[in-house]
Amino acid sequence: MPTVLIASDKFKGSLSAAEVADAVGAGVRSVLPSARVVAVPVADGG
């Protein structure tokens, strides 16, 4: 089972970092249903 780490930042004005991580995770799971997805929303501090 592969592990995929998603360390996303926000899409300014449209999605929060958590929403980006959720969307990317859903995409990964649609292609690799057995993948372990670890989502870590991050910020660049600026």
Side-chain angles (χ1 to χ4, degrees):
M1 164 178 28
T3 299
V4 178
L5 172 63
I6 302 168
S8 60
D9 196 358
K10 67 180 178 288
F11 283 18
K12 189 173 183 177
S14 58
L15 296 173
S16 69
E19 291 169 326
V20 173
D22 289 343
V24 173
V28 169
R29 286 185 195 95
S30 73
V31 177
L32 296 169
S34 66
R36 177 176 173 244
V37 177
V38 178
V40 183
V42 296
D44 64 7

